Amino acid sequence: MLAAVSVAVLLLWLLTAWFSYTKAQHEAEELMDGNLAQTGRLLLAITQDNEDDLGELAGRLATVRGAADNVYEPPLEFQLCLGDGTILARSIGAPDLPVLGVPGYSDILRKDGSWRVLNVVSGDGRHRVQVSQSIGLRDRAALEVAGQTVLPLAIITPVLLLLIYVSVVKALDPLNRLARDVASRSADNLAALSREDVPNEVGPLVAAINRLLLRVARALDNERRFTSDAAHELRTPLAAIKVQTQVARLSRDAAQTTRALGQIESGVDRATRLVEQLLRLARLDPLNVLPNPQPLDLLPLVEGTLANVLAANPALTQTVRHELPQSAPRVFGDADLLGIALRNLIDNAIRYTPAGSTIVIRQEDEEGGRVCLSVQDDGPGVPDELIARLGERFVRGRDALAEGSGLGLAIVSRIMELHGGHFSARNLATGGFAARLCGLVRADRDAAPAGA
């Protein structure tokens, strides 16, 4: 900032100095031309009235000549003549120039120097006066006047730059203190930055940094809690696998060994599912928005997900179907993530409903033209006090002893956040339970959601 302001000031100074110099020089030259004209008319009047005494006049004028070294009084040279060019009187230093030229100003270049010349003629043409002045002396005078005009600018500019430097440094001092505060912090100090004495222009930046620190603190708290819960959840299947391994090694009964090996395989499967869900959450957590939401048809999405579930559960004892119309709308989103969310809801319904239950996938229209996918079952439902916690990590809503890790709905909730929607659940008044993917934006009505 200092460099930019200093360069701007210097450029402005140069422009002002150049303009002032040229203007002052022009005005000085105009002033000296006016002096030539005034002197010429005065001499012409004297010549007309005192033609017989012009010889003495030249001598008297020589005593009041300006000094050649005085730029403010440069000497004027003159020639007093008759109309035919006969010289009646002339100054000591007057250049030998013809006086029959056209009346007015002219610049004449000679070996002994350059001259600014004014020829004045009386009204009757009987007398002529030529007044001249050395252009070198005129330039010195103009330069002196112009230089005196620019000199104050040259003196003021360094003072101005110093004041700018002091002002900027003083104004930025709170930023330096803020920088020292941040630099001196330890990695675990995520307290909000102080806004005391912070300039108004920097206030929004400090506020944004404080919001970022708050989000980082929350993220770290979530990570610590998540790590602790994950370690606890992984400890259970690993401990069971270890016990069953010992049973299989020590057992002499083939049936007991087979049963222990089956338990080991089941424990490995459960640990594998848990790790897969942990990795999925780890990939979803850093995202703020969907990288590339695309319009997609709900009906093919639901039918494809349902076909995968049925293929993975050939011995399924529940009836699983969908009731989406052929005219199901298109929505903005990521087909893979929405498929994962829908499959998690269907798997949960299968895991927690008894044999012979019916699981139905339905489309519901919401206010504002948004769409909701609902997975409904006729199972026992969820205790009312746990419904609000569904979607939290490692929270299971029904039989806590049933197989599962409590991460499925957390993944669903995170996917819906990325889609600009939300996950909701409720017990049905007619019995059963409904898990819903709400707030999906219709691709045939709205623009892509800001959260996506």
Side-chain angles (χ1 to χ4, degrees), residues 109-396:
L109 179 63
R110 292 164 49 89
K111 292 182 179 179
D112 57 349
S114 301
W115 296 86
R116 178 73 166 169
V117 177
L118 173 64
N119 290 315
V120 183
V121 182
S122 63
D124 57 7
R126 188 162 175 260
H127 297 91
R128 301 176 70 94
V129 172
Q130 183 184 77
V131 186
S132 58
Q133 193 172 43
S134 170
I135 291 180
L137 294 178
R138 286 168 58 92
D139 288 344
R140 284 177 54 196
L143 179 62
E144 180 69 18
V145 172
Q148 293 299 321
T149 303
V150 175
L151 182 61
L153 291 175
I155 296 175
I156 291 174
T157 299
V159 177
L160 177 60
L161 290 176
L162 178 61
L163 291 177
I164 291 174
Y165 173 81
V166 173
S167 301
V168 171
V169 169
K170 184 176 180 180
L172 295 181
D173 188 59
L175 286 182
N176 293 329
R177 291 198 299 270
L178 187 64
R180 289 193 295 269
D181 179 18
V182 175
S184 63
R185 290 186 173 212
S186 60
D188 57 349
N189 183 2
L190 298 177
L193 299 175
S194 173
R195 298 188 63 177
E196 184 179 356
D197 296 331
V198 172
N200 293 334
E201 296 81 359
V202 187
L205 174 62
V206 176
I209 293 175
N210 285 339
R211 290 194 295 270
L212 174 62
L213 290 175
L214 180 61
R215 291 197 299 270
V216 172
R218 289 175 178 172
L220 289 177
D221 288 341
N222 289 337
E223 290 295 335
R224 294 188 186 102
R225 187 169 60 253
F226 178 69
T227 302
S228 176
D229 292 341
H232 174 75
E233 291 292 327
L234 280 171
R235 190 180 298 117
T236 300
L238 293 178
I241 291 172
K242 181 177 180 180
V243 170
Q244 295 301 325
T245 301
Q246 293 172 344
V247 171
R249 187 174 66 246
L250 299 176
S251 176
R252 298 294 182 265
D253 183 9
Q256 188 178 23
T257 301
T258 300
R259 190 163 50 252
L261 291 175
Q263 293 293 326
I264 292 173
E265 184 177 5
S266 176
V268 170
D269 290 341
R270 181 183 176 188
T272 300
R273 284 194 300 273
L274 178 59
V275 171
E276 288 175 350
Q277 290 179 319
L278 290 173
L279 291 175
R280 187 168 292 152
L281 272 175
R283 286 193 295 268
L284 292 175
D285 275 341
L287 298 178
N288 291 322
V289 295
L290 289 177
N292 189 25
Q294 297 291 335
L296 55 94
D297 293 306
L298 275 184
L299 184 59
L301 173 69
V302 172
E303 289 179 340
T305 304
L306 188 55
N308 291 335
V309 170
L310 296 177
N313 298 275
L316 191 63
T317 59
Q318 295 97 334
T319 300
V320 185
R321 69 175 189 274
H322 76 82
E323 294 183 356
L324 268 69
Q326 290 297 319
S327 59
R330 307 179 79 204
V331 298
F332 281 106
D334 185 294
D336 292 335
L337 292 180
L338 285 179
I340 290 171
L342 182 60
R343 177 161 184 167
N344 281 357
L345 296 186
I346 298 173
D347 287 342
N348 268 12
I350 293 173
R351 186 176 297 115
Y352 293 108
T353 55
S357 299
T358 300
I359 301 170
V360 182
I361 306 169
R362 292 188 173 94
Q363 171 206 330
E364 301 174 6
D365 292 326
E366 295 183 304
E367 293 183 2
R370 299 207 172 199
V371 179
C372 179
L373 277 181
S374 176
V375 178
Q376 302 178 5
D377 61 58
D378 53 7
V382 175
D384 291 337
E385 62 272 14
L386 286 179
I387 287 182
R389 297 191 61 198
L390 292 180
E392 296 182 17
R393 298 176 182 187
F394 304 106
V395 172
R396 281 175 259 181

Side-chain angles (χ1 to χ4, degrees), residues 50-74:
N50 301 276
E51 182 175 336
D52 296 334
D53 300 326
L54 292 181
E56 297 180 5
L57 175 64
R60 289 195 296 269
L61 291 177
T63 63
V64 294
R65 285 173 57 86
D69 58 348
N70 189 342
V71 295
Y72 296 106
E73 297 182 12

Side-chain angles (χ1 to χ4, degrees), residues 22-36 105 116 133 135 138-139 141-143 145:
T22 54
K23 186 68 175 176
Q25 187 178 41
H26 175 73
E27 292 300 323
E29 291 175 351
E30 289 287 329
L31 182 62
M32 286 184 284
D33 279 348
N35 189 25
L36 277 179
Y105 293 99
R116 178 73 166 169
Q133 193 172 43
I135 291 180
R138 286 168 58 92
D139 288 344
L143 179 62
V145 172

